Amino acid sequence: MKIQMVDLHGQYLKIKKDVDQAIQGVIDSTAFINGGEVKEFAQELAEYLNVKHVIPCANGTDALQVAFMALGLKPGDEVIVPVFTYVATAEVIALLGLKPVMVDVHPDTFNIDVDQARSKISANTKAIVPVHLFGQCADMDAVMELANEFNLFVVEDTAQAIGSVYTSKDGSTTSAGCIGHFGTTSFFPSKNLGCFGDGGAIFTNDSDLAEQARVICNHGQRIKYHHSIIGVNSRLDTLQAAILRVKLRHLDSYCAARQELAAFYDEALKNDDRFATPVRSAQSTHVFHQYTMKLREDINRAELQEYLRQNGVPSMVYYPVPLNEQEAFASDGNYPVSKNLCERVLSIPMSTEVTPEQRNYIVETLTNFIQS
Ligand SMILES: *Cc1c(COP(=O)(O)O)cnc(C)c1O
C-alpha cells in the first residue's frame, strides 16, 4: 500500500480511454497551438463557472501577471497580498515593478485579513489579491466592500479553489474567481483541475478587460504582426486543453471525493486535540486542494513528520516561510498569525483516489503518534 500526497496515476487510469483518445485526436490534427480544443475548453469552463470570459494561458503564474498587466497598473502602484501564500502571488507583482503590500491572514480560515488590509491602504494602493487558500474562498464580501470604498482592483488567486462556490451576504452564489475584476487559476497537474503539464486561465465578466488580457497573452497583437501593446507569449497547449476538457467533466465528482475524504479525516480526528482540523468558512464551500491541520503548540512537527514518513504516510508543510521572511521579499512588519501557521500547519494526503484502507491507515498512524 503505497500512499502518496496526490495519486495522479490512479486518477488517470479511471479516465484513460477518454484522455488517450483526446490526446491522439490532437496528434492526428497536428493543431498543437491554438487548436479548436483550446477555444472549446475555454467555453466549457466559462459555462461551468458561469463567467463571461475565460482566457487560457500557459500557467497560473502567467495568469496573475497578465491580469495585473491588463489592469494597467504602473510601477510603484501598491498591491495588497496575504503573507501566507504561494510565492507566485507576490512574484509577478514585484516583477512588474509594483509594490506588494503584505497583510496577515485569519488563524481559522488561513485567508486574508481584510481589516488589516484596510489599515494598509495608502494613496498608491491600486489592487488587492485575495488568495483562496487550500480550496475555500476568502471573505469576498469584505474584500469587495473595501475595494468599492477605495476604488481597488480585485484579482482573485483561484489556483487552489476552482469549483468552490461563494455565497454573498445577499444570498447570491458565485464561483470562486468570478467575483473580482479578474480571477486566475492554474492547471498544474496536482491542482484540483490539473492537466499533464503546465496550464492556466484568467476569468472575468468584464469584456474590455477580457480583450486586453487576450491581446497581452498574444504578444500584444490584435492583428497578426501588428503589436499595439507590450505583451507576452502565454498559451495553453492544445494537448492540455484536450485533456482538460475530459477532466472538467469530472471536476464535480473530484470535488466531492475530496470533500468526502476531508469529512472522514474531520470525524476520525475530532477527539484528538493534537490535530486541529480545517475550519470551514460559513460563506464558501471548501474543495480541499489541501487538507491542512494545525498542530497543537507542544507537538514537534519535525518529529511527527519523520514518524509518518517511516510509517509510509507522506505529509507536507504548506508553507514553511511567510512571504515577508522570504529572502527575495524580505520586508519589515509583524505577521504573527502567519508566522505561527508556518510553524504549526501540516497537510496530509488529499486526492481523489485515497482508498478506504489507506485513509484508515493514515488516521490510525497519526493518532498512534507518541512524542518522545
Ligand atoms: C499553484 C499556484 C500558483 C501558480 O500556478 P502555476 O501554474 O504553478 O504557475 C499561484 N498561486 C497559488 C496560490 C498556487 O497555489
Side-chain angles (χ1 to χ4, degrees), residues 173-236:
T173 56
T174 315
S175 292
C178 306
I179 301 168
H181 297 84
F182 277 121
T184 63
T185 203
S186 163
F187 305 122
F188 185 85
S190 63
K191 297 283 158 87
N192 288 27
L193 178 61
C195 60
F196 289 5
D198 276 308
I202 304 157
F203 324 137
T204 184
N205 280 306
D206 183 314
S207 297
D208 294 335
L209 289 179
E211 170 67 8
Q212 194 71 1
R214 242 181 226 116
V215 169
I216 290 168
C217 281
N218 186 24
H219 296 289
Q221 64 187 343
R222 281 191 174 78
I223 303 161
K224 205 167 171 67
Y225 304 128
H226 293 71
H227 305 270
S228 48
I229 49 176
I230 302 287
V232 297
N233 173 22
S234 192
R235 298 184 282 241
L236 180 68

Side-chain angles (χ1 to χ4, degrees), residues 252-362:
D252 282 339
S253 74
Y254 290 162
C255 289
R258 288 171 178 276
Q259 286 163 342
E260 205 217 312
L261 178 59
F264 172 84
Y265 283 149
D266 284 354
E267 182 61 27
L269 298 172
K270 75 175 181 204
N271 294 322
D272 193 331
D273 71 358
R274 296 175 298 173
F275 311 112
T277 56
V279 172
R280 315 294 206 273
S281 144
Q283 286 172 282
S284 173
T285 60
H286 199 321
V287 292
F288 287 98
H289 175 58
Q290 298 297 341
Y291 187 90
T292 303
M293 309 178 297
K294 239 182 341 185
L295 304 181
R296 205 173 61 196
E297 299 276 0
D298 61 318
I299 301 296
N300 181 331
R301 184 173 63 186
E303 187 185 328
L304 172 60
Q305 277 201 283
E306 178 55 23
Y307 156 83
L308 290 173
R309 194 190 62 74
Q310 281 174 6
N311 287 282
V313 176
S315 65
M316 293 289 284
V317 174
Y318 303 114
Y319 296 93
V321 182
L323 212 50
N324 62 297
E325 290 182 20
Q326 297 287 358
E327 204 182 330
F329 292 95
S331 102
D332 298 336
N334 219 354
Y335 307 91
V337 176
S338 297
K339 187 163 180 55
N340 185 259
L341 288 177
C342 288
E343 286 161 8
R344 288 174 59 202
V345 288
L346 190 67
S347 303
I348 55 177
M350 171 48 72
S351 85
T352 56
E353 308 303 318
V354 177
T355 64
E357 197 188 8
Q358 288 176 328
R359 68 192 201 180
N360 283 332
Y361 178 76
I362 292 166

